[in-house]
Amino acid sequence: MKVEQISIFIENKSGRLAEVTGVLGKTGINIRALSLADTSDFGILRLIVDDSQKALKVLREQRFTVSITEVIGIEVPDSPGGLTSILQLLDQHNVNVEYMYAFAERVGNNAIIIFRFDNVDEAISALSSHGVKILPSERITSI
Amino acid sequence: MIWNDDFETLPREAIESLQLKRLQQTLEKVYATVPFYRDSFTKAGIKPADIKSLNDLQNLPFTLKQDMRDSYPYGLFAAPLEQIVRIHASSGTTGKPTVVGYTRRDIDNWTELMARSFVAAGTNQGDIIHNAYGYGLFTGGLGAHYGAERVGASVIPMSGGNTKKQLMIMQDFGSTVLTCTPSYSLYLAEVAAEEGIDIRKLKLKVGILGAEPWSEKMRQEIEAKLNIKAIDIYGLSEILGPGVGIECIEAQNGLHIWEDHFIPEIINPETGEVLPDGEKGELVITTITKEGIPLIRYRTRDITRLFKEPCICGRTHARIERLSGRSDDMLIIRGVNVFPSQIESVLFNVDGVEPHYQLIVDRDGNLDTLEVQVEVNEQTFSDEIKVLQGLSNKIRKDIKDLLGVTCKIRLVEPKTITRSEGKAKRVIDNRQQES
């Protein structure tokens, strides 16, 4: 259920982002979803790709600072209040969202949102027991 | 092991009477042959014959690096050029270098002191010495080379640079002793890791490291990463080159200064007065055997303490504490004295932070600014902004607590701070260009 997210440290220098995506593109790695968190000096690029281990390897070879983080992809009803119901459920189980970002595409009537939690396992059990759909990782990387 | 038992274990009274005799000879010599000294002694109203005890030394005027520059190239030589067999010079990044000439006997003494130093560091015949100090005008390469040969070790004259080849030779030749700057030893470890070489498993057992100030924490890092004993060696080209002083491997606690060749003093750098043993100040050295370019009360600009308690190794020569910085390296940030080594010690105390850093000093209006650039690595990196900002905040707070200076921490990508093959460039001071 857990998905491997690639996180990359990026200094705020022009062209640095393009270097990351260039390395991935050349190696035939496809980016499925991304989020960029930034401060005045540096940013953290978070990516869901179709082959995370390969991405990790090529980025390390190019001397990027990279780590793999476990996140989960959740199907969220694509209707008003859809996200709220999920967040409330997590709150009741004392799981904190560290950050989240959305996939551009939908699955059926649902939007896909990637979540990073402080306690992934607790989140998975809380969500599953309440019938919230968590996408299998192979589904996510092949969207 | 001691290389020269007769001299290295002389009782203190014997050291001091030898020092006085040699000092008086040196003073007569420079007074007679070097106009600079004749003038400066005359201005101070002193003749060599007035120096009747070691205590009288403090009445003599200092010699400054600027005096050496002013006498470029040969003005301070006390021996005619026909007797000079070697000439070295300092790097001289600003202006003219300082030039040092050695007579045959100077080279012989230097070789003797380097031999003592190698043995004090636990190396001997049978060792394979991988000498990565630069060969050339810089004194490091040749100084270490001659001493190693005299000990009877096998010397590999690597010089600096070409790091991958250094590692190949180190593996294939079975180097047991590494001589280079402390920062270069860490760079070797880093490149070894990239090349998939476990440098800890090589035959290296000792590193004899010097030519730049380094902290105790950095020593621990080097010892752990290379699996060696890291020995601090002291020297400066004006006085001799490497081998003015060295730590013994038995104590690794302070550097023995070879007192049968040098007289060390510690002074208050502001007032010039001599401080009692144990107090911190600027190291001043008088050479008492040199012929080519003897120096009287040379201000090294190195900040340390002097102590004369006997050492467990059996040597009786005084020790200086490991250098806490060179007064030249001292930065004044908004009126506060800051040594790069102090910032280094803060960084070493933060888990996972690597010893690669650079200080950028600038001026914003009338205010000095200090930026500390620290490399992020996979150990300190996190996918969460708050964790990285927490790291920055911790470093900033620790520096503020220790030094009272507020600085900006910039986390940078790994390997973006230039690695040095000689002395590490820790400070970029952009203020100088404006004033």
Side-chain angles (χ1 to χ4, degrees):
Chain A
M1 289 212 201
K2 295 171 191 167
V3 186
E4 288 185 335
Q5 170 196 275
I6 300 271
S7 310
I8 307 149
F9 181 86
I10 294 181
E11 267 181 66
N12 278 1
K13 286 193 290 206
S14 66
R16 202 60 184 139
L17 199 51
E19 284 170 38
V20 176
T21 56
V23 168
L24 297 176
K26 247 183 270 168
T27 335
I29 294 168
N30 209 345
I31 300 170
R32 310 310 319 161
L34 67 82
S35 123
L36 180 67
D38 66 309
T39 71
S40 57
D41 296 331
F42 64 87
I44 299 171
L45 179 63
R46 301 156 184 151
L47 302 174
I48 305 291
V49 297
D50 54 0
D51 187 343
S52 55
Q53 288 302 326
K54 192 169 162 195
L56 183 70
K57 185 169 167 281
V58 296
L59 288 167
R60 276 195 177 141
E61 278 168 10
Q62 295 301 311
R63 299 187 158 189
F64 286 98
T65 302
V66 197
S67 70
I68 290 231
T69 312
E70 288 180 339
V71 294
I72 59 175
I74 299 174
E75 282 191 33
V76 178
D78 193 5
S79 57
L83 179 57
T84 312
S85 61
I86 302 246
L87 291 175
Q88 280 169 346
L89 171 63
L90 292 162
D91 188 38
Q92 283 157 18
H93 287 81
N94 289 320
V95 176
N96 279 317
V97 178
E98 299 291 358
Y99 54 79
M100 51 189 252
Y101 51 98
F103 261 66
E105 291 174 48
R106 285 164 46 132
V107 174
N109 286 327
N110 292 335
I112 309 291
I113 296 185
I114 298 288
F115 282 86
R116 160 80 149 102
F117 297 112
D118 54 353
N119 186 339
V120 191
D121 295 317
E122 177 65 24
I124 290 175
S125 87
L127 293 164
S128 312
S129 64
H130 288 78
V132 176
K133 264 188 148 176
I134 300 173
L135 270 84
S137 63
E138 54 287 359
R139 275 286 308 281
I140 288 185
T141 52
S142 61
I143 284 172
Chain B
M1 275 283 293
I2 290 179
W3 173 253
N4 186 335
D5 246 325
D6 292 347
F7 281 94
E8 292 180 60
T9 61
L10 276 181
R12 179 128 296 273
E13 313 79 67
I15 292 179
E16 288 179 1
S17 74
L18 182 63
Q19 282 181 325
L20 180 61
K21 191 182 102 197
R22 289 181 167 176
L23 172 66
Q24 287 167 332
Q25 287 167 352
T26 301
L27 293 174
E28 292 290 353
K29 179 77 191 285
V30 297
Y31 192 78
T33 55
V34 185
F36 167 81
Y37 284 115
R38 178 183 286 270
D39 293 348
S40 73
F41 289 8
T42 306
K43 257 185 233 152
I46 294 178
K47 288 221 158 59
D50 297 335
I51 306 303
K52 295 192 169 69
S53 71
L54 286 180
N55 208 31
D56 293 336
L57 178 60
Q58 60 185 301
N59 300 325
L60 290 169
F62 295 116
T63 307
L64 309 178
K65 188 168 182 108
Q66 190 59 43
D67 296 324
M68 299 190 77
R69 291 206 179 105
D70 292 345
S71 61
Y72 178 86
Y74 301 142
L76 285 183
F77 283 23
L81 273 179
E82 300 82 74
Q83 288 172 26
I84 298 292
V85 298
R86 172 105 60 86
I87 298 171
H88 279 290
S90 74
S91 44
T93 42
T94 51
K96 298 279 193 192
T98 49
V99 181
V100 188
Y102 302 75
T103 64
R104 198 172 297 282
R105 204 175 131 223
D106 288 338
I107 295 286
D108 193 55
N109 281 334
W110 186 12
T111 304
E112 151 79 15
L113 297 187
M114 272 310 296
R116 288 186 196 176
S117 301
F118 273 114
V119 173
T123 69
N124 221 321
Q125 201 162 15
D127 273 314
I128 298 175
I129 297 184
H130 187 102
N131 187 17
Y133 282 119
Y135 283 67
L137 280 179
F138 175 59
T139 50
L142 283 169
H145 185 107
Y146 274 53
E149 281 189 350
R150 178 153 309 173
V151 165
S154 317
V155 197
I156 309 172
M158 281 308 304
S159 200
N162 209 344
T163 305
K164 285 183 188 169
K165 186 167 183 190
Q166 301 244 7
L167 288 165
M168 183 191 84
I169 299 252
M170 212 175 263
Q171 283 180 295
D172 296 348
F173 291 18
S175 311
T176 58
V177 177
L178 171 65
T179 53
C180 63
T181 57
S183 52
Y184 190 60
S185 73
L186 282 176
Y187 184 58
L188 277 166
E190 190 177 296
V191 175
E194 280 170 21
E195 296 292 302
I197 299 166
D198 187 352
I199 199 166
R200 296 178 46 84
K201 297 237 167 80
L202 302 188
K203 291 197 174 136
L204 285 181
K205 53 174 194 174
V206 172
I208 300 175
L209 313 174
E212 65 188 14
W214 47 309
S215 60
E216 190 58 33
K217 287 278 177 183
M218 186 155 172
R219 187 216 300 271
Q220 289 164 13
E221 176 104 9
I222 292 170
E223 292 194 333
K225 282 201 166 152
L226 284 89
N227 190 26
I228 56 173
K229 279 272 186 193
I231 301 291
D232 194 0
I233 186 165
Y234 177 67
L236 61 176
S237 65
E238 300 92 308
I239 296 297
L240 190 71
V244 175
I246 191 156
E247 283 178 335
C248 54
I249 195 162
E250 292 88 348
Q252 274 187 302
N253 178 19
L255 294 83
H256 291 280
I257 297 287
W258 304 120
E259 284 192 279
D260 50 335
H261 293 265
F262 310 107
I263 303 177
E265 299 170 276
I266 299 291
I267 62 159
N268 176 332
E270 317 265 306
T271 63
E273 68 170 321
V274 174
L275 298 174
D277 290 348
E279 282 194 32
K280 196 171 207 164
E282 181 180 340
L283 177 66
V284 169
I285 294 179
T286 299
T287 70
I288 50 175
T289 53
K290 268 178 85 181
E291 298 177 333
I293 178 162
L295 291 177
I296 308 303
R297 301 196 84 203
Y298 182 71
R299 291 187 62 158
T300 64
R301 306 171 313 285
D302 289 319
I303 307 294
T304 183
R305 293 187 172 92
L306 186 66
F307 49 106
K308 293 180 178 149
E309 288 80 17
C311 182
I312 54 165
C313 70
R315 290 177 185 82
T316 50
H317 294 228
R319 281 174 284 170
I320 55 168
E321 189 179 70
R322 301 190 61 208
L323 303 184
S324 44
R326 188 161 266 196
S327 56
D328 289 12
D329 296 337
M330 190 180 79
L331 295 165
I332 302 179
I333 310 285
R334 297 191 289 275
V336 179
N337 296 350
V338 174
F339 285 104
S341 55
Q342 293 174 303
I343 294 190
E344 181 179 302
S345 68
V346 169
L347 295 177
F348 270 117
N349 280 319
V350 180
D351 270 351
V353 170
E354 298 216 36
H356 303 296
Y357 66 95
Q358 202 158 40
L359 310 180
I360 316 287
V361 188
D362 216 325
R363 186 162 286 153
D364 184 8
N366 287 319
L367 205 59
D368 299 325
T369 60
L370 171 64
E371 177 179 291
V372 181
Q373 295 190 346
V374 183
E375 287 186 1
V376 166
N377 56 27
E378 295 211 344
Q379 207 185 330
T380 50
F381 177 55
S382 162
D383 62 311
E384 294 178 51
I385 292 274
K386 70 177 178 202
V387 175
L388 290 178
Q389 285 182 332
L391 175 70
S392 293
N393 290 339
K394 172 163 176 43
I395 297 172
R396 179 166 47 242
K397 182 176 178 304
D398 288 354
I399 290 176
K400 170 91 182 165
D401 288 349
L402 180 73
L403 299 170
V405 165
T406 308
C407 63
K408 174 178 161 51
I409 307 299
R410 181 189 289 271
L411 299 178
V412 299
E413 290 179 23
K415 324 238 153 113
T416 51
I417 293 173
T418 318
R419 302 299 194 257
S420 154
E421 287 167 346
K423 302 187 189 197
K425 182 153 179 57
R426 299 296 193 195
V427 180
I428 295 175
D429 195 339
N430 295 320
R431 295 175 300 184
Q432 289 153 349
Q433 295 156 359
E434 293 156 28
S435 56

